Amino acid sequence: MLNLAQEESALLDSVVSRTQLAGSNCMEILLFSLGTTEHFGINVFKVREVSKTPFITRTPNMPTGVEGLISLRGNVIPVLSLAGILGVAQPGTLNEGAMMVTEYSKRTLGFLVEEVDRIIRVDWEKVRTPENVSGGSHAYITAITELPDGRLVSILDVESILANTFGDAVVGNIEPIGNGHEVNVFFVDDSSVARRKITEVLDKLGVRHKHAQNGLEAWTRLVSIADHAEHAGRPVAEEIDLIMVDAEMPEMDGYVLTRNIKADSRFGGIPVVMHSSLSSEANRAMGKRVGVDAYVAKFDADVLAETLRPLLARARRAA
């Protein structure tokens, strides 16, 4: 078992080497526990550091699950009890143990956990979407994977935790694009929250769209679209003007999906936008390595819309 200082050092010192994961269909997850027999994980790229639980300032009128605030190197950040949010313990009862400082979707949060275990590397092919997800703690699980010893690990949907705790990002007024009804966007994201917000942005842009829920499903559908267009003697660009991918997805991640798209000449000229809650420069570099045309951090509706607008206009002119 790594102590917290060693774990923090490992997280911070190996970011550069982790950029080599791009295109390997692998990710690294930090394992942790919440005082139950269940095992949980979170993508290492979302974790800035791990420490002992600091002094937390209790504040009134905080959302359910938020234990209070801490000052971290001059910044005030909220601290959430994962056990409380997932319903495996009452908020306020998990005050000892460890805190993971996470950074995703341009937000910094502290997550209280009972114990941090270790970092492991897993193949996305061995990561599955959970079945029969309806509510309770399962609503916050985006994927399941199995360790070599047979233990199951639930990977958290931190986007849902963020949205359900602090509310959805508001999508304001977005000017529709000209002839939007002629524009076709294909997007893929394994988070139901993200799919809902992306759909809202695309609807306001006035474009048509289809979606998939994981990378392998997306690639299967894209190949089918390309095969059909090829059989009909039409370019794929008549069917799809732009493809938007998430980075983290079960069965095939967005980096491998992008690499596959860019390697298939039938998708030539169709821009690929990576839209991810992993907002660090390291992740942008990973996206660039596999050929994405733009990288947008979740979730800023205006930035997303303004990133898509010129790419869609360029795609229509090319067509």
Side-chain angles (χ1 to χ4, degrees):
M1 181 78 64
L2 294 177
N3 64 40
L4 292 179
Q6 290 172 325
E7 189 67 55
E8 179 175 348
S9 176
L11 289 171
L12 296 179
D13 291 345
S14 57
V15 168
V16 173
S17 67
R18 287 192 166 92
T19 62
Q20 303 305 313
L21 289 177
S24 67
N25 210 34
C26 293
M27 74 163 175
E28 289 183 328
I29 59 176
L30 178 62
L31 301 178
F32 62 91
S33 64
L34 298 176
T36 67
T37 57
E38 191 171 0
H39 305 280
F40 297 92
I42 184 173
N43 191 321
V44 165
F45 270 117
K46 289 181 173 146
V47 183
R48 267 180 37 184
E49 60 186 85
V50 178
S51 68
K52 292 183 178 179
T53 300
F55 174 78
I56 300 172
T57 302
R58 310 292 176 178
T59 54
N61 303 319
M62 296 297 286
T64 301
V66 179
E67 297 291 286
L69 304 172
I70 64 168
S71 177
L72 184 69
R73 285 183 281 282
N75 295 314
V76 176
I77 67 171
V79 178
L80 287 67
S81 165
L82 279 182
I85 289 174
L86 269 62
V88 298
Q90 290 298 315
T93 61
L94 191 64
N95 298 322
E96 303 297 331
M99 181 182 71
M100 302 184 304
V101 177
T102 65
E103 185 174 5
Y104 62 96
S105 297
K106 298 188 287 188
R107 291 285 298 268
T108 302
L109 303 172
F111 283 149
L112 296 182
V113 301
E114 182 180 78
E115 187 176 54
V116 169
D117 189 349
R118 65 189 186 277
I119 296 170
I120 63 167
R121 182 169 294 189
V122 298
D123 295 330
W124 273 116
E125 292 176 353
K126 297 180 180 178
V127 178
R128 295 287 181 263
T129 302
E131 298 179 358
N132 302 321
V133 174
S134 56
S137 63
H138 296 290
Y140 296 115
I141 304 303
T142 189
I144 302 287
T145 192
E146 185 175 353
L147 300 181
D149 62 8
R151 289 184 297 165
L152 295 179
V153 176
S154 300
I155 301 174
L156 292 184
D157 183 353
V158 289
E159 293 166 23
S160 290
I161 292 175
L162 181 63
N164 291 342
T165 303
F166 297 102
D168 273 345
V170 176
V171 177
N173 294 325
I174 294 176
E175 186 73 20
I177 66 173
N179 296 322
H181 62 283
E182 299 178 356
V183 174
N184 297 281
V185 173
F186 185 95
F187 74 89
V188 52
D189 203 298
D190 66 319
S191 168
S192 60
V193 172
R195 291 196 301 272
R196 185 171 68 247
K197 304 313 291 184
I198 292 168
T199 295
E200 193 172 349
V201 170
L202 296 177
D203 284 345
K204 291 197 172 189
L205 284 171
V207 303
R208 296 186 295 184
H209 51 82
K210 300 176 181 178
H211 74 268
Q213 297 187 28
N214 67 58
L216 183 58
E217 179 194 344
W219 179 236
T220 301
R221 292 185 62 185
L222 287 169
V223 169
S224 177
I225 292 170
D227 288 345
H228 185 269
E230 189 174 38
H231 182 74
R234 300 194 307 270
V236 181
E238 289 187 6
E239 306 288 337
I240 304 172
D241 293 286
L242 182 142
I243 300 169
M244 185 159 54
V245 304
D246 187 19
E248 305 172 276
M249 293 182 291
E251 301 188 64
M252 179 184 292
D253 68 22
Y255 302 107
V256 171
L257 176 58
T258 300
R259 187 185 63 188
N260 289 350
I261 293 168
K262 292 297 183 179
D264 190 327
S265 61
R266 296 177 297 179
F267 296 100
I270 299 175
V272 177
V273 175
M274 183 164 282
H275 183 233
S276 174
S277 60
L278 302 173
S279 53
S280 72
E281 287 304 315
N283 293 107
R284 291 178 183 274
M286 289 170 70
K288 185 176 180 181
R289 283 185 58 207
V290 296
V292 299
D293 297 276
Y295 190 106
V296 183
K298 294 178 183 175
F299 186 82
D300 187 317
D302 292 332
V303 171
L304 177 59
E306 293 312 307
T307 299
L308 297 181
R309 195 182 301 278
L311 292 172
L312 291 171
R314 190 184 314 156
R316 295 312 294 170
R317 287 197 300 270

